[in-house]
Amino acid sequence: MFHKNKLIKFLTVVLAAVFFIAGGATAVHAAVGDRGTDQSVYQGQFGKVGYGDEKFQIDQLGGTVNGWSTYTQWTYPYQVQSGIARGQHVHTYIWWQNVTTNAQADSVLNQLFPQVKTPRGSIVALDVESGYQNTWAIQHACDRIRQAGYTPMVYGYKNYLLNNTNLYYLSQHEQLWLAEYPDYAVRRYPNYHFFPSFNNVGVFQFTSTYIYGGLDGDVDLTGITNNGYTQNTNPTITQPAQHPATTQKAQPQPAANTYTVRYGDSWWSIANRHGMNMYTLAQINGRSINSMLYPGQTLRIRANQQTSQPSQNSGSSWRDSLGDVWHSEHGTFTANTWLNLRWGARTSSSRIALLNPGSTVKYDAWSNHGGYVWIRQPRNNGYGYVAVRNSATHEAFGSFK
């Protein structure tokens, strides 16, 4: 993103925490205060890795300069795949310049929507920082983004947005993603003395030099970067015990007729837990995936009778202490992107190493759970685990032999 001189405003950390999610956003809880980055073609094919503790990433799909024709960035699908493989919540942003009518907004989005690679419910932000702007065209675009099943946001520098849009109106309808930098020194954590104070700020871009060489750094103030993803409530685990199953195939578990919503639940997590599609779950409850969920709320559940099929060369199966079914299979996996090797088969598990593209992993078992297909690597001091495929899209993060 381009950078401009900005008027410095003071705000304390306490004030930064009081902003709330705009109406219509998905209920989220635990992401407040998480740091992440936003990336574009300038960060290369697989993007740049920060410090390893970032929870989200916002990648540039492309955009428009003249308000009609669009361009895409060739790095976008690779950066999305790489970020998801590292266990991050990955979102999308679009460069938005000289779009001054609803017809232009429709034309631009109709060209770009089919190329969005992040999941439904995730953020699709408009990068509004240059050219002629129209508040009503921006709001129309945000409404279209929401209708398409994504979470709209408006990005920009406060002064530019105040001078070129009705920012007060936009902030009443959408969460803002505002940028303000105290300097261009390398900065890992936000300095809230340089916060662009305004209503309904969801994400604060606090530096363009998050690491040496340049990378935009952001902090989530409301939990909005959880949208489109499961809030993982599993604790960090050690090597699970193995309990041989009595049958070769895992049997589908009977589902209850209702489910009581718990703190941290989302449509995706509840549906995944019961073998369902989140859109189907919302539909049978007369809701949409953008509807708010509340602890104690009762939902109707309809079980999906399909079960995962083990590969033909699986010799045996077992269920570990976490309830995940594993299948014996020996092979070699070669990564085509950056991947985390972990001590457990959870995205919250401690990381052993960051595997670069081209790394090979010899494995002896696999499991399909938590939105990913995992493989198990035997090690001298236990086992390592790698997520090698997205269960929802079936997209592999490498090749197998």
Side-chain angles (χ1 to χ4, degrees):
M1 297 184 183
F2 297 123
H3 312 298
K4 301 184 178 183
N5 293 327
K6 300 164 289 293
L7 179 65
I8 294 176
K9 296 291 185 181
F10 173 86
L11 188 73
T12 65
V13 176
V14 175
L15 286 177
V18 303
F19 293 100
F20 295 94
I21 298 177
T26 306
V28 289
H29 300 285
V32 175
D34 283 351
R35 285 175 291 109
T37 63
D38 55 270
Q39 312 213 13
S40 67
V41 68
Y42 300 108
Q43 279 69 54
Q45 180 174 359
F46 299 109
K48 285 187 176 181
V49 178
Y51 299 94
D53 59 350
E54 294 78 23
K55 300 298 178 63
F56 66 90
Q57 180 174 299
I58 311 178
D59 296 328
Q60 185 179 1
L61 163 61
T64 182
V65 175
N66 62 18
W68 286 106
S69 61
T70 61
Y71 66 92
T72 57
Q73 295 195 341
W74 70 271
T75 53
Y76 170 74
Y78 299 101
Q79 290 178 352
V80 170
Q81 181 188 44
S82 179
I84 291 176
R86 293 196 300 269
Q88 295 186 334
H89 293 178
V90 183
H91 304 274
T92 300
Y93 78 88
I94 296 170
W95 181 263
W96 197 259
Q97 182 176 350
N98 294 321
V99 181
T100 57
T101 67
N102 288 358
Q104 286 177 281
D106 286 334
S107 176
V108 170
L109 293 179
N110 288 343
Q111 296 175 67
L112 294 178
F113 271 157
Q115 302 180 71
V116 174
K117 300 295 185 185
T118 51
R120 293 297 175 93
S122 63
I123 296 166
V124 174
L126 302 179
D127 185 351
V128 183
E129 56 176 297
S130 182
Y132 295 104
Q133 301 294 341
N134 181 298
T135 299
W136 319 119
I138 294 172
Q139 186 58 59
H140 177 73
C142 288
D143 293 339
R144 284 285 314 275
I145 291 169
R146 186 177 295 105
Q147 291 164 7
Y150 300 101
T151 300
M153 290 194 83
V154 177
Y155 169 89
Y157 301 103
K158 178 180 172 182
N159 287 345
Y160 174 83
L161 291 170
L162 284 173
N163 290 329
N164 292 274
T165 71
N166 185 339
L167 188 57
Y168 296 96
Y169 175 86
L170 291 174
S171 69
Q172 292 174 352
H173 295 80
E174 315 299 343
Q175 287 197 59
L176 304 179
W177 173 17
L178 295 186
E180 187 84 36
Y181 317 141
D183 49 43
Y184 293 97
V186 173
R187 186 174 301 279
R188 183 175 180 179
Y189 300 100
N191 182 345
Y192 288 103
H193 292 282
F194 296 86
F195 185 87
S197 178
F198 208 79
N199 176 55
N200 208 23
V201 180
V203 175
F204 171 30
Q205 186 186 88
F206 59 88
T207 183
S208 63
T209 47
Y210 184 65
I211 60 175
Y212 181 78
L215 179 65
D216 291 337
D218 307 274
V219 61
D220 184 341
L221 302 178
T222 64
I224 192 170
T225 60
N226 261 351
N227 286 16
Y229 296 87
T230 300
Q231 176 59 45
N232 195 324
T233 59
N234 294 299
T236 300
I237 60 172
T238 56
Q239 169 62 25
Q242 298 179 7
H243 305 288
T246 57
T247 60
Q248 292 296 101
K249 289 186 179 181
Q251 299 300 314
Q253 300 299 306
N257 292 327
T258 61
Y259 175 79
T260 302
V261 177
R262 295 177 293 184
Y263 182 84
D265 277 339
S266 69
W267 289 107
W268 191 96
S269 65
I270 298 171
N272 187 63
R273 190 177 300 131
H274 292 86
M276 302 175 64
N277 180 291
M278 66 177 177
Y279 296 98
T280 302
L281 175 63
Q283 182 181 24
I284 66 176
N285 284 278
R287 307 291 181 85
S288 76
I289 62 169
N290 292 320
S291 300
M292 296 283 284
L293 292 175
Y294 304 95
Q297 183 178 359
T298 300
L299 298 178
R300 291 193 296 123
I301 299 297
R302 180 180 302 163
N304 187 334
Q305 298 302 316
Q306 295 182 347
T307 59
S308 300
Q309 298 296 322
S311 62
Q312 293 181 352
N313 61 342
S314 293
S316 62
S317 301
W318 66 89
R319 187 180 302 276
D320 67 21
S321 61
L322 295 176
D324 300 323
V325 175
W326 287 85
H327 310 279
S328 176
E329 178 179 294
H330 293 269
T332 301
F333 169 77
T334 303
N336 64 11
T337 186
W338 295 91
L339 295 172
N340 285 314
L341 176 65
R342 300 182 182 276
W343 284 115
R346 292 287 191 277
T347 56
S348 60
S349 299
S350 300
R351 187 170 71 182
I352 301 173
L354 182 63
L355 305 179
N356 60 285
S359 297
T360 60
V361 177
K362 293 186 181 297
Y363 63 94
D364 67 354
W366 65 273
S367 176
N368 187 345
H369 65 267
Y372 298 98
V373 174
W374 296 82
I375 58 174
R376 188 181 73 169
Q377 177 202 45
R379 300 174 64 85
N380 291 333
N381 54 347
Y383 292 96
Y385 299 84
V386 184
V388 295
R389 187 185 295 275
N390 186 312
S391 298
T393 65
H394 306 294
E395 182 177 19
F397 305 140
S399 58
F400 305 83
K401 67 176 183 180

